[in-house]
């Protein structure tokens, strides 16, 4: 955290990041607890949406987010967005998420209250390897590598689900098994026209390639060490908790914005049956999407909720990235408030 040249700077309780910036054990506690909150939201919101789901209204014309995604995975609903028989599969998924959130919450409390605040103080040699040292690039690349491998296996799980169980294909109006098409030329070309992808095989191929890149990159980061002198060009003096936070915000911000455009226009990954009709892009002060189908006043499609919420979350994440990136580079934001105060003082003096 930036100290503005004062090493004794303290932050209030609300500045939660300051409490974990240089304490890897507390950093893990915050990560695990945060994951628990996300998983709890998924489970609780599944139950919430299921309780207000109206089978007489098309799923895409209801303000839903979780249930349409389950439907695209071939879980619980038919091609018309109507529950198939009973809702046990959906209930099971919700309960698994709720139980998992409690496990994660317990893990967060365990790391926060009982385990060492710094992993370097741990009695477990393996745990000490994951102690964060911002001026040690070997430690950071080692930790990054494990993150990438975990993400890669998560992507593989999705690809295998589509291959073994199947996902919903709007082209035929039913769930089918999808074999991934690993065509590197198509994957490269879809960088600029991904909104028009209409083949689930190509979608799964892109995910399979992503899994390969993440796992390979993760292994490379774990196995390699810093080559040559650790210079400023390589990040010396720039690596910090604030810098890593800024990069994380940039990544999730851009992903949210891309997801907004993707969900607003693509009907292969986001079928009309479950998310509603494609949206129309408008612009007043900022971009926003509106429904292209007539709905009662105050009601919106799942697609409208999904696209607009993702876009504005992404927008504010990017602002957070800029804020923390500038702080990591040493910019003193107090200079801004001081400058404004000086302008006000000068204005008062001139009036007098």
């Amino acid at each position: 955290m930036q100290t503005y040249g004062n090493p004794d700077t303290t932050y209030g309780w609300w500045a939660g990041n300051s409490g974990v910036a240089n304490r890897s054990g507390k950093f893990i506690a915050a990560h695990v607890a945060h994951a628990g909150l996300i998983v709890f939201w998924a489970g609780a919101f599944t139950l919430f949406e299921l309780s207000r789901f109206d089978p007489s209204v098309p799923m895409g014309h209801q303000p839903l987010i979780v249930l349409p995604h389950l439907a695209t995975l071939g879980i619980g609903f038919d091609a018309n967005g109507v529950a198939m028989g009973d809702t046990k599969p959906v209930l099971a998924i919700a309960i698994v998420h709720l139980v998992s959130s409690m496990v994660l919450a317990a893990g967060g409390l365990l790391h926060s209250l009982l385990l060492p605040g710094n992993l370097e103080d741990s009695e477990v040699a393996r745990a000490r390897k994951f102690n964060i040292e911002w001026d040690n690039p070997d430690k950071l690349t080692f930790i990054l590598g494990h993150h990438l491998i975990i993400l890669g296996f998560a992507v593989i799980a999705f690809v295998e689900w589509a291959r073994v169980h199947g996902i919903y294909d709007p082209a035929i109006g039913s769930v089918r098994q999808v074999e991934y098409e690993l065509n590197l030329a198509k994957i490269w070309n879809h960088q600029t026209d991904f909104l028009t992808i209409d083949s689930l095989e190509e979608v799964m191929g892109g995910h399979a390639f992503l899994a390969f890149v993440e796992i390979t990159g993760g292994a490379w980061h774990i196995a390699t060490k810093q080559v040559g002198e650790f210079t400023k060009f390589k990040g010396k003096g720039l690596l910090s908790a604030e810098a890593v936070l800024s990069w994380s915000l940039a990544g999730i911000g851009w992903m949210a914005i891309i997801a907004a455009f993707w969900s607003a226009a693509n009907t292969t990954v986001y079928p009309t049956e479950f998310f509603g009709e494609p949206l129309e892009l408008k612009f007043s002060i900022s971009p926003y999407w509106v429904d292209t189908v007539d709905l009662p006043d105050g009601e919106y499609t799942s697609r409208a909720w999904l696209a607009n919420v993702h876009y504005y979350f992404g927008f504010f994440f990017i602002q957070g990235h800029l804020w923390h990136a500038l702080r990591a580079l040493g910019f003193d934001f107090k200079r801004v408030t001081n400058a404004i105060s000086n302008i006000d003082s000068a204005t008062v003096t001139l009036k007098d």
Side-chain angles (χ1 to χ4, degrees), residues 245-266:
L245 174 59
S246 75
W247 301 332
S248 299
L249 287 169
I252 195 172
W254 283 119
M255 284 191 289
I257 290 175
I258 290 172
F261 280 91
W262 180 290
S263 62
N266 190 278

Side-chain angles (χ1 to χ4, degrees), residues 34-52:
H34 185 219
L37 286 173
I38 296 172
V39 174
F40 176 81
W41 174 89
F45 220 73
T46 300
L47 295 178
F48 171 71
E49 290 189 355
L50 192 60
S51 69
R52 64 201 303 267

